[in-house]
Amino acid sequence: MYKHGCNVQALGDGKVLAIKNNKSVNDKMRALGLDIIEVDLRQLLKAGGGPHCSTFPVKRKV
């Protein structure tokens, strides 16, 4: 069981970068109409990181 369900990265325009193995969390976000980009982060999770941790800060065009 993965316990990093809250560790996602909002990319804007309804897109979210999320851990592939968090099926229940990802399914709930999809049900809300979000486009979930699932990434296999098993190795990164061993060190305690996740999508938000590995992408911060993200530069965006304004």
Side-chain angles (χ1 to χ4, degrees):
M1 175 187 270
Y2 291 85
K3 297 182 179 179
H4 293 272
C6 63
N7 195 327
V8 299
Q9 179 63 47
L11 301 174
D13 295 325
K15 295 180 191 283
V16 177
L17 189 65
I19 300 168
K20 182 177 181 178
N21 295 69
N22 282 330
K23 182 159 176 46
S24 64
V25 173
N26 296 347
D27 288 346
K28 289 175 185 175
M29 288 190 292
R30 275 192 197 93
L32 294 171
L34 297 171
D35 181 14
I36 309 304
I37 302 167
E38 295 181 326
V39 183
D40 184 356
L41 295 175
R42 286 178 287 185
Q43 296 302 317
L44 186 63
L45 290 171
K46 290 178 182 179
H52 184 265
C53 301
S54 64
T55 59
F56 188 76
V58 175
K59 283 189 174 183
R60 295 187 175 108
K61 292 181 181 180
V62 181

